[in-house]
Amino acid sequence: MGNGHWIQRVCVVGFAVLLCAAGASAQEQPRLNLMPWPANLQTGSGSLRIDSSFSVALTGHTEARLDRAAQRFLRQLSRQTAIPLSGRASAKPTLSVHTDQASKEVQELGEDESYALSITADGAQIEAPTPLGAMHGLQTFLQLVEVSPDGFAAPAVTIQDKPRFPWRGLMIDVARHFIPLDVLKRNLDGMEAVKMNVFHWHLSENQGFRVESKKFPKLQTMGSDGLYYTQDEIRDLIAYAHDRGIRVVPEFDMPGHSTAWFVGHPELASGPGPYEIERKWGVFDPAMDPTNEKTYKFLDEFVGEMTKLFPDHYFHIGGDEVNGKQWDANPKIQEFKKSHNLATNEALQAYFSERIQKIVTKHGKAVVGWDEVFIPGVPKDIVIQSWRGQESLARAAALGYHGILSNGYYLDLGWSAARHYVGDPMSGPAASLTPEQQQLILGGESCMWAEYVNAENIDSRIWPRNVAIAERLWSPQNVTDVASMYARLHAVSTQLEWLGLTHRTYYPQMLRRIAGPGANPEQLTALRTLADAVEPVKDYTRGATAPAEATSATPLNRVVDAVPLESDVARRFAEQVDRLASSSCRDAAAAAQLRAQLSAWRDNDARLQPLAQRSFLVKEVAATSQDLSAVAAVGLAALDFAAKGGAAPDDWKAQQLTVIEQVQKPKAQLLLMPAPAIQKLVEAVAAGGSCAAPK
Amino acid sequence: MGNGHWIQRVCVVGFAVLLCAAGASAQEQPRLNLMPWPANLQTGSGSLRIDSSFSVALTGHTEARLDRAAQRFLRQLSRQTAIPLSGRASAKPTLSVHTDQASKEVQELGEDESYALSITADGAQIEAPTPLGAMHGLQTFLQLVEVSPDGFAAPAVTIQDKPRFPWRGLMIDVARHFIPLDVLKRNLDGMEAVKMNVFHWHLSENQGFRVESKKFPKLQTMGSDGLYYTQDEIRDLIAYAHDRGIRVVPEFDMPGHSTAWFVGHPELASGPGPYEIERKWGVFDPAMDPTNEKTYKFLDEFVGEMTKLFPDHYFHIGGDEVNGKQWDANPKIQEFKKSHNLATNEALQAYFSERIQKIVTKHGKAVVGWDEVFIPGVPKDIVIQSWRGQESLARAAALGYHGILSNGYYLDLGWSAARHYVGDPMSGPAASLTPEQQQLILGGESCMWAEYVNAENIDSRIWPRNVAIAERLWSPQNVTDVASMYARLHAVSTQLEWLGLTHRTYYPQMLRRIAGPGANPEQLTALRTLADAVEPVKDYTRGATAPAEATSATPLNRVVDAVPLESDVARRFAEQVDRLASSSCRDAAAAAQLRAQLSAWRDNDARLQPLAQRSFLVKEVAATSQDLSAVAAVGLAALDFAAKGGAAPDDWKAQQLTVIEQVQKPKAQLLLMPAPAIQKLVEAVAAGGSCAAPK
């Protein structure tokens, strides 16, 4: 750290706030809504009041980026509080930010991102070796600002913080659905807020080629439906990211996932053209011809152009999911395999990978690729991005290769934040690596694949769950308390709203579209009640159960597109069921809350049905609505048994479990999330007077 | 109309939908969510399906503006439905738009804005004499698109439409609080959607001078805190408005309301300087010196510059609320009055008005001014904007002067949409004018004065209530049904959301700020329940009861800043009370709904109190929350009497009315909106078994 010494810690606080201030009781102490949780934190007493005189001063190393960061900070602080802040420096600034020295002109992997933040009732200081740390400190400050009985304030606190991993990324697929630049920018704002530092830009796919190439303009003019980023826009986005301490790693997926390239350049493909932009989802046959020297000549020129456009040291070449069918069907390629002793298509892909890696290296960059590009023996400066799992990551590290983890961090699979949260790059096989080998594991990236997202709902598919991954990659490994995570996630989600992210606002708006503008408030409430209780089917079930005619032009306007990927209502309901069960069904408050919720669900279907008759989008979920009523009735019956005491009869239990099994079958690609908790309730009351959940 | 003949009408529909299609029952027929309601409408049978093949073709007169309007239409249609629309013209376009001829290059008052729209199951046509009508027709089409049991569709309909008044404006005060350009643009989008055609831009005030003057740059550099529009930005906004068929009328308020001018140019003032930007609200003393020839020289140059910047024929000179104190205190001015036989300050202002009108006329423009500029004898091309009332409008018209009505349309006064809706430029004294005199009444303007609005909440202070005024100014005079208005307003409000207006999304976001990011969902719901039941105090009460230290820098983050100006919940509650009372307290469904609502209100305070202890912004409404619980308990007791039958005792009634009287006193500048309906309920049950509301 730049300032060289730390104030001595009175107490160290992990993921939950311990009490340091004398006289403060647990009830009085506000929870700190920091996420990712800092490496070291101690609370003090008192708080720093935020009012219109708030000002920031920058000392030490200065640069325009820091000025902009301070302006952005003030704007954001003003949004959070609605206090107009001119930020004009007064004699004594409220917050002083000292930066020791510049960071690298092009942000590099592993630069010092540490910072120290100290807040007292009199003022606040951030000290950081580089602008990267200074900017992180500003974000931490923003998260600390809370409403208090006397006004807005930031609690007294001393923080020394640095990241656990140097590579903390978010990948966005802008190819399957095009994502406009302004949407990407607000997601970069979100990344900055949670200290992620790599934007991995998945730019080409079967369904679209999204970058302007001046050397090969047919790539975008024929491969994108006109939906691509100009080079000026790309430079603009890179500058925007750099301002926020975020590297931009471009990905051009090769040799598979490349149909869109072949629309303008069929000569690159392994099968005969002509090609059209792919409109369906899945893994497709077209792949580049790895046996044609013209392919490498083209890629050399193309990579030369793109490595100039994208300044980051890393260049992602994809490499995933080549099914080999075009290679098998092409006699020339079969001939080449024989003559080059390439026994398998994997070996042929390894040959391609080696050639393309040499091209990337020649242009001064290092390669990132998905699991498939890793063949022992490739040059050591490659970074393996593991979508397959921690085993492959650990295996590569054991052989001396860098890796980042994405398995477990696929945001499109619809997992809960808690499920993402347990995934750790250092867990599983990686835990057994030597410390030197562990150093090779650089971090991870969450991935937003875009089959079912567009500009309207993408924020909600990334946020807030992505913050749990951001914390995993930044905070100490022992920060794992799920209840604390959810409490803080809820708060940080509000902070993300002030950045302009639409992960909350999109939802009532999409529901109003589904209901139609003529729906009355009661009907809208009924639709919301149902929608709040469901989640889209998980993993790849949606694609697997999609109608045959689904394409990239299919409107994303269904309930499955509108509902959040994680139901807060169902999670809280399950918590109440656990409370009731763990009290041997004696917790009257929990029972009353459950009864109120179950009654609302049971009665909801009658309110929703008029809408179902008017809107095809509501009609699609009419059966799910009936299921919710039915399963709620089961839960209410269980509560009745619990109220009476004594075990529910076995045949009753069997009947209820049949109902629950029925409603758990996905309908309209939706899962009825309260069902498992209601099953628990049934099993608890069937277990008798003790009402203990069997588990 | 361009196409010269109308399809013969089967039936004519006024403000409520009559049924024309054979076999359709009242229940089956969807309500049409058109607003403003068209001059003539007949419904047909069937509907036009909206799918991804939807296309638009433009015929007849073409211009780039129409192409952009068509693109904007497609984008908007795509937002409303989430159907990706390329809009590529197919052999047979879904919607064809025929425009006869160009409109004026600079849009003029009174141009033909009529259009005809016909929709059948096979396609749709718009025919219009000018692009202005064509664009109106596109907006009508968008409002007709509804979700149906089979997909998105527009019902078969034939419309011939034209405005009742040629001047349908919205004034936004950007001086008291600066309103950024993008916020203005989305409000222009809203104006286009509801066919308003004049944006009156109130650009200068005591609190700020918001336009870049290249001739007198001290006006903006010293008079705006850096918050002003550059001339490029102004040209951009004017082009944006022109694209939407909207004229832009600038207002520079003179000779009063002008402190901000004097910061850089104290020589214009009637009193000695120096001056600072005014930070308080109210009517202030500084006024231009009408006796100094240098004032007119300055204004001649300034008006010369501004009339070049703003192309509209009309130029607003303000003229309101000069208190005359600076004039009285200036011996030179007293001397001037004597020497020029100007007996009163009104006469002195008339002198100033005449001079400034001559300047404006010299630069080729016509003057608009508030009531005060009207002195019989001024040139006839002046337009009087009446803030004082319909009398002054009618008086001016009787003397041959043009006028527009703003009295009754002040959006900042917090009136209900229904109250704005009854205001009609032709009612009151205007109704007795001759037809020729009535022709002089050009229309009206809603006004958004900006003491208590900023970029965050201004949309909610304008919309959706402004749509009621837009309808008043466009639709036939007999379109007055309030229930129909509210039903359509609710639907059009959703449509406005798709334009990017934030009149709904801002609200939960501001409530989350008030509660703090750490508030749990139950607490947030409690805050919302309270907030939904209150409205800000009306008229000028807020200013009159503001603390002495309030300034333009006072944060607008209180509950009074967050809640909508009209409580839908309270309005619906009052409707239920009316239902119950008119059924002699026998309507069980109404009673049950009232009981559920009252119970929720009664129990709400207990849930809210923990937040009130943590947030100063919630603490401010703690007493209001207690009032809501108390008055809800009164309502529940009244329902109990109603259930039992028989009259409630007089002493009980007296006690309850005392409670109701107490809670009706504003607290935290908020009104408890359900109180009057609860009073009605109490009086109804006290009136005995018949339970008729006394009225």
Side-chain angles (χ1 to χ4, degrees):
Chain A
M1 285 299 304
N3 60 342
H5 65 94
W6 297 111
I7 299 159
Q8 201 190 333
R9 259 162 264 157
V10 180
C11 65
V12 177
V13 184
F15 55 84
V17 177
L18 299 180
L19 299 173
C20 304
S25 74
Q27 297 90 289
E28 287 162 19
Q29 182 73 20
R31 182 185 64 221
L32 300 182
N33 288 315
L34 292 170
M35 199 164 184
W37 193 257
N40 293 285
L41 178 149
Q42 67 183 83
T43 54
S45 61
S47 62
L48 175 64
R49 194 181 163 80
I50 314 287
D51 61 26
S52 62
S53 70
F54 192 97
S55 63
V56 185
L58 303 173
T59 62
H61 165 76
T62 56
E63 59 180 57
R65 176 167 66 158
L66 279 170
D67 292 333
R68 290 193 294 269
Q71 285 308 313
R72 197 161 64 241
F73 166 84
L74 284 171
R75 206 160 51 233
Q76 205 51 29
L77 185 58
S78 184
R79 274 192 204 146
Q80 286 183 212
T81 59
I83 299 170
L85 297 173
S86 70
R88 283 186 204 94
S90 57
K92 185 179 174 295
T94 323
L95 169 63
S96 70
V97 182
H98 183 89
T99 309
D100 289 347
Q101 57 185 57
S103 54
K104 299 288 171 62
E105 199 167 329
V106 173
Q107 191 172 325
E108 288 181 10
L109 177 67
E111 287 196 71
D112 193 332
E113 298 181 81
S114 68
Y115 70 95
L117 166 64
S118 150
I119 302 176
T120 69
D122 292 331
Q125 288 83 40
I126 292 171
E127 307 222 9
T130 75
L132 301 175
M135 293 193 292
H136 289 319
L138 290 171
Q139 294 302 317
T140 300
F141 188 99
L142 285 174
Q143 289 188 343
L144 286 166
V145 174
E146 250 285 9
V147 70
S148 85
D150 310 310
F152 288 97
V157 74
T158 306
I159 288 172
Q160 298 94 29
D161 201 9
K162 61 178 184 181
R164 181 171 163 224
F165 292 107
W167 189 306
R168 306 176 307 282
L170 166 64
M171 187 215 79
I172 298 182
D173 166 13
V174 298
R176 286 181 174 82
H177 279 99
F178 180 69
I179 306 296
L181 210 66
D182 62 326
V183 179
L184 296 180
K185 284 183 173 177
R186 68 187 186 222
N187 277 282
L188 289 169
D189 291 338
M191 291 175 67
E192 181 188 28
V194 300
K195 302 182 172 64
M196 281 189 146
N197 68 353
V198 180
F199 172 51
H200 169 173
W201 205 352
H202 185 82
L203 285 161
S204 70
E205 261 301 338
N206 298 306
Q207 292 84 1
F209 189 96
R210 304 298 183 194
V211 174
E212 177 193 28
S213 168
K214 291 183 192 287
K215 288 207 167 145
F216 304 106
K218 281 191 286 185
L219 285 170
Q220 75 273 9
T221 56
M222 298 180 70
S224 78
D225 299 309
L227 298 170
Y228 63 89
Y229 312 101
T230 66
Q231 295 203 355
D232 279 345
E233 287 172 333
I234 289 167
R235 278 185 285 268
D236 177 38
L237 189 101
I238 291 168
Y240 194 92
H242 183 257
D243 255 16
R244 284 151 183 79
I246 298 169
R247 298 163 41 215
V248 177
V249 175
E251 176 184 355
F252 295 95
D253 207 344
M254 306 177 257
H257 285 278
S258 49
T259 309
W261 304 55
F262 306 152
V263 184
H265 290 279
E267 73 279 9
L268 297 173
S270 303
Y275 291 88
E276 287 187 357
I277 295 174
E278 182 58 56
R279 306 290 173 189
K280 299 256 179 188
W281 308 129
V283 174
F284 297 94
D285 301 346
M288 291 177 184
D289 184 349
T291 69
N292 189 340
E293 281 307 310
K294 284 183 187 159
T295 303
Y296 299 109
K297 185 167 176 301
F298 180 100
L299 290 176
D300 186 16
E301 282 191 60
F302 175 76
V303 170
E305 182 183 12
M306 291 300 131
T307 50
K308 281 192 191 70
L309 181 61
F310 291 93
D312 198 80
H313 182 60
Y314 289 90
F315 192 89
H316 203 303
I317 59 166
D320 55 320
E321 298 185 320
V322 182
N323 69 14
K325 286 188 188 170
Q326 274 201 341
W327 293 347
D328 293 340
N330 184 328
K332 198 174 75 62
I333 294 177
Q334 291 305 310
E335 186 56 37
F336 183 91
K337 279 168 74 177
K338 274 188 211 131
S339 64
H340 287 70
N341 285 324
L342 299 166
T344 63
N345 283 337
E346 286 69 36
L348 181 59
Q349 186 174 348
Y351 169 83
F352 175 84
S353 289
E354 201 185 325
R355 294 286 303 267
I356 186 75
Q357 283 173 40
K358 277 187 185 144
I359 289 170
V360 171
T361 307
K362 173 186 139 189
H363 290 288
K365 305 285 182 172
V367 157
V368 190
W370 299 100
D371 280 316
E372 289 90 330
V373 304
F374 173 61
I375 306 105
V378 295
K380 285 281 160 77
D381 65 348
I382 197 168
V383 172
I384 311 298
Q385 179 163 17
S386 172
W387 67 275
R388 286 182 174 165
Q390 279 143 322
E391 293 74 16
S392 67
L393 193 67
R395 197 163 53 240
L399 293 169
Y401 290 90
H402 283 109
I404 54 177
L405 183 67
S406 281
N407 181 284
Y409 301 147
Y410 271 28
L411 296 165
D412 51 307
L413 299 188
W415 296 7
S416 67
R419 189 168 170 195
H420 287 306
Y421 197 53
V422 296
D424 191 305
M426 288 302 182
S427 69
S432 321
L433 296 171
T434 66
E436 291 73 27
Q437 290 166 341
Q438 287 187 336
Q439 287 290 322
L440 297 170
I441 296 179
L442 301 172
E445 279 186 5
S446 51
C447 294
M448 181 73 261
W449 298 107
E451 279 91 344
Y452 300 107
V453 300
N454 59 16
E456 183 172 34
N457 72 354
I458 189 171
D459 292 3
S460 76
R461 274 49 193 145
I462 297 174
W463 310 100
R465 297 175 307 137
N466 187 47
V467 187
I469 300 169
E471 172 155 291
R472 177 61 47 240
L473 298 172
W474 175 283
S475 302
Q477 190 165 11
N478 66 355
V479 176
T480 55
D481 185 89
V482 170
S484 163
M485 181 276 284
Y486 272 116
R488 291 178 290 118
L489 190 66
H490 173 72
V492 172
S493 189
T494 294
Q495 200 213 358
L496 294 171
E497 267 200 294
W498 300 119
L499 291 167
L501 283 162
T502 62
H503 60 298
R504 277 178 172 157
T505 52
Y506 87 104
Y507 179 37
Q509 210 165 342
M510 283 189 76
L511 291 183
R512 280 194 281 267
R513 177 196 285 139
I514 288 165
N520 68 37
E522 189 191 34
Q523 293 164 341
L524 278 169
T525 301
L527 179 59
R528 175 72 184 247
T529 299
L530 173 63
D532 278 353
V534 298
E535 290 179 12
V537 289
K538 304 291 151 190
D539 302 319
Y540 295 106
T541 309
R542 181 159 179 194
T545 58
E549 67 274 17
T551 71
S552 53
T554 303
L556 299 180
N557 57 12
R558 298 162 57 208
V559 172
V560 68
D561 299 307
V563 296
L565 297 190
E566 183 168 10
S567 162
D568 286 338
V569 171
R571 182 169 51 77
R572 289 197 299 271
F573 179 81
E575 287 166 8
Q576 291 291 340
V577 168
D578 286 346
R579 257 183 71 192
L580 185 70
S582 67
S583 75
S584 303
C585 292
R586 286 192 201 99
D587 186 327
Q593 285 197 27
L594 288 171
R595 186 173 291 278
Q597 177 67 78
L598 288 164
S599 301
W601 283 336
R602 181 199 52 199
D603 302 340
N604 196 61
D605 185 52
R607 296 196 178 95
L608 188 70
Q609 288 308 322
L611 262 193
Q613 286 162 34
R614 278 177 36 200
S615 161
F616 73 109
L617 294 168
V618 180
K619 191 164 64 180
E620 193 197 1
V621 296
T624 309
S625 173
Q626 287 158 7
D627 282 356
L628 179 62
S629 283
V631 79
V634 169
L636 285 166
L639 284 185
D640 288 342
F641 275 114
K644 277 184 282 179
D650 278 352
D651 59 341
W652 176 85
K653 177 184 167 186
Q655 282 168 5
Q656 310 314 311
L657 293 183
T658 308
V659 173
I660 291 168
E661 195 188 340
Q662 283 298 322
V663 304
Q664 294 209 67
K665 289 178 188 152
K667 298 186 178 75
Q669 307 194 300
L670 293 169
L671 298 170
L672 205 52
M673 297 312 289
I678 291 173
Q679 179 169 345
K680 212 179 204 179
L681 196 60
V682 167
E683 285 167 351
V685 298
S690 73
C691 178
K695 199 171 179 186
Chain B
M1 286 299 304
N3 60 342
H5 64 94
W6 297 111
I7 298 158
Q8 201 191 333
R9 262 162 260 156
V10 179
C11 62
V12 176
V13 184
F15 54 84
V17 177
L18 299 181
L19 300 172
C20 304
S25 73
Q27 298 90 291
E28 287 162 19
Q29 181 74 16
R31 183 186 61 223
L32 299 182
N33 289 313
L34 292 171
M35 199 163 182
W37 192 258
N40 292 287
L41 179 150
Q42 68 184 84
T43 53
S45 60
S47 61
L48 175 65
R49 195 180 163 81
I50 313 287
D51 61 28
S52 61
S53 69
F54 191 96
S55 63
V56 185
L58 302 174
T59 63
H61 165 76
T62 58
E63 60 180 54
R65 176 168 66 160
L66 278 169
D67 292 332
R68 291 193 294 271
Q71 286 307 313
R72 198 162 65 243
F73 166 85
L74 283 170
R75 206 159 55 233
Q76 206 50 30
L77 184 59
S78 183
R79 274 192 204 144
Q80 286 183 210
T81 60
I83 300 170
L85 297 173
S86 70
R88 283 185 204 95
S90 58
K92 184 178 173 298
T94 323
L95 169 63
S96 70
V97 181
H98 183 88
T99 309
D100 288 346
Q101 58 186 56
S103 53
K104 298 288 169 63
E105 198 167 332
V106 173
Q107 191 172 326
E108 288 182 10
L109 176 67
E111 286 195 69
D112 193 331
E113 299 182 80
S114 67
Y115 69 94
L117 167 65
S118 149
I119 302 176
T120 69
D122 292 332
Q125 288 84 40
I126 292 173
E127 307 220 9
T130 76
L132 301 175
M135 295 193 292
H136 290 319
L138 290 170
Q139 295 301 318
T140 300
F141 188 98
L142 286 173
Q143 289 188 343
L144 285 166
V145 175
E146 250 285 8
V147 70
S148 83
D150 310 310
F152 287 97
V157 74
T158 306
I159 288 172
Q160 298 95 31
D161 201 9
K162 61 178 183 178
R164 181 173 162 223
F165 292 107
W167 189 307
R168 306 176 307 279
L170 167 64
M171 187 217 77
I172 299 183
D173 166 13
V174 299
R176 287 180 174 82
H177 279 98
F178 180 69
I179 306 297
L181 210 66
D182 60 326
V183 178
L184 296 182
K185 283 183 174 178
R186 66 188 188 223
N187 278 282
L188 289 170
D189 291 338
M191 290 174 68
E192 181 188 27
V194 300
K195 304 185 172 63
M196 279 187 147
N197 67 353
V198 180
F199 173 50
H200 169 172
W201 206 351
H202 185 81
L203 286 160
S204 71
E205 261 302 338
N206 298 305
Q207 292 85 0
F209 189 97
R210 304 300 182 192
V211 173
E212 177 191 30
S213 168
K214 292 182 191 290
K215 289 208 166 142
F216 305 105
K218 283 192 284 185
L219 284 170
Q220 75 272 11
T221 56
M222 299 180 71
S224 78
D225 299 309
L227 299 170
Y228 63 89
Y229 312 99
T230 66
Q231 296 203 355
D232 279 347
E233 287 172 334
I234 289 166
R235 276 185 285 268
D236 177 38
L237 189 100
I238 292 168
Y240 193 92
H242 183 256
D243 255 16
R244 286 152 182 79
I246 298 169
R247 297 163 42 213
V248 177
V249 175
E251 176 184 355
F252 296 95
D253 208 344
M254 307 176 256
H257 286 278
S258 49
T259 309
W261 303 55
F262 305 152
V263 185
H265 290 279
E267 74 277 10
L268 297 174
S270 302
Y275 291 88
E276 289 188 354
I277 294 174
E278 182 58 55
R279 306 292 173 188
K280 300 257 180 186
W281 306 130
V283 175
F284 298 95
D285 301 346
M288 292 177 184
D289 184 349
T291 70
N292 189 341
E293 282 307 310
K294 285 182 187 158
T295 303
Y296 300 108
K297 186 168 177 301
F298 180 100
L299 290 176
D300 186 17
E301 280 190 60
F302 175 75
V303 170
E305 182 183 12
M306 291 300 132
T307 49
K308 281 193 189 70
L309 181 61
F310 292 93
D312 198 80
H313 181 60
Y314 288 91
F315 192 88
H316 202 305
I317 59 166
D320 54 322
E321 297 184 320
V322 183
N323 70 13
K325 287 188 188 169
Q326 274 202 340
W327 293 346
D328 292 340
N330 184 327
K332 198 176 71 67
I333 293 177
Q334 292 303 311
E335 185 57 38
F336 183 92
K337 279 169 71 177
K338 273 186 214 136
S339 64
H340 286 71
N341 285 322
L342 300 165
T344 64
N345 283 335
E346 286 68 36
L348 181 58
Q349 184 174 349
Y351 171 83
F352 174 84
S353 288
E354 200 185 326
R355 294 287 303 265
I356 187 74
Q357 284 174 37
K358 277 189 186 143
I359 290 170
V360 171
T361 306
K362 172 186 142 188
H363 291 288
K365 306 284 183 173
V367 157
V368 189
W370 300 99
D371 280 315
E372 289 91 328
V373 304
F374 172 60
I375 306 105
V378 295
K380 286 280 160 79
D381 65 347
I382 197 170
V383 172
I384 310 298
Q385 179 163 19
S386 170
W387 67 275
R388 287 183 173 164
Q390 279 144 322
E391 292 74 16
S392 66
L393 194 65
R395 198 164 49 240
L399 293 169
Y401 290 90
H402 283 110
I404 53 178
L405 183 67
S406 280
N407 181 285
Y409 302 148
Y410 270 29
L411 295 164
D412 52 307
L413 299 188
W415 294 7
S416 67
R419 191 168 167 194
H420 287 306
Y421 197 53
V422 296
D424 191 306
M426 288 303 180
S427 68
S432 319
L433 296 171
T434 68
E436 291 70 28
Q437 290 165 339
Q438 287 188 336
Q439 287 289 323
L440 296 170
I441 296 180
L442 301 172
E445 280 188 4
S446 51
C447 293
M448 181 75 262
W449 297 106
E451 280 90 344
Y452 300 108
V453 301
N454 60 15
E456 184 172 32
N457 72 354
I458 190 172
D459 291 5
S460 77
R461 273 51 192 146
I462 297 175
W463 309 98
R465 296 175 307 137
N466 188 46
V467 187
I469 301 168
E471 174 155 292
R472 177 62 46 242
L473 297 173
W474 176 283
S475 302
Q477 190 166 10
N478 66 353
V479 177
T480 54
D481 185 272
V482 170
S484 163
M485 181 275 283
Y486 272 116
R488 290 178 291 118
L489 189 66
H490 173 73
V492 171
S493 189
T494 294
Q495 199 212 358
L496 294 171
E497 266 201 293
W498 300 118
L499 291 168
L501 283 163
T502 63
H503 60 298
R504 278 181 173 155
T505 54
Y506 87 104
Y507 179 38
Q509 210 165 342
M510 283 190 78
L511 292 183
R512 282 195 280 269
R513 178 197 285 139
I514 288 165
N520 68 37
E522 191 191 31
Q523 293 164 341
L524 278 169
T525 302
L527 179 58
R528 174 73 184 246
T529 299
L530 174 63
D532 279 353
V534 298
E535 288 178 14
V537 287
K538 306 291 150 190
D539 301 319
Y540 295 106
T541 310
R542 181 159 179 193
T545 58
E549 67 274 16
T551 71
S552 55
T554 303
L556 299 180
N557 56 14
R558 298 161 59 208
V559 172
V560 68
D561 299 307
V563 297
L565 297 191
E566 182 168 9
S567 164
D568 286 338
V569 171
R571 183 169 49 77
R572 288 196 299 270
F573 179 81
E575 287 166 7
Q576 291 291 339
V577 168
D578 287 344
R579 256 183 72 193
L580 185 70
S582 68
S583 75
S584 303
C585 292
R586 289 193 198 100
D587 187 327
Q593 284 194 29
L594 288 171
R595 186 173 291 279
Q597 178 65 79
L598 288 164
S599 302
W601 283 336
R602 181 198 53 199
D603 301 341
N604 196 60
D605 185 52
R607 298 197 177 94
L608 188 71
Q609 288 308 323
L611 263 193
Q613 286 164 34
R614 279 177 35 201
S615 161
F616 73 109
L617 294 168
V618 180
K619 193 165 61 180
E620 193 197 3
V621 296
T624 309
S625 173
Q626 288 158 8
D627 282 356
L628 180 61
S629 283
V631 78
V634 169
L636 285 166
L639 284 184
D640 289 342
F641 275 114
K644 276 185 283 183
D650 279 351
D651 59 340
W652 176 85
K653 178 185 168 188
Q655 283 169 6
Q656 310 315 310
L657 293 182
T658 308
V659 174
I660 291 168
E661 193 188 342
Q662 283 296 322
V663 305
Q664 294 209 66
K665 288 179 189 151
K667 298 187 178 75
Q669 305 191 302
L670 293 170
L671 298 170
L672 205 53
M673 297 312 290
I678 292 172
Q679 179 168 343
K680 210 178 208 179
L681 196 59
V682 167
E683 286 168 350
V685 299
S690 74
C691 176
K695 199 176 179 183

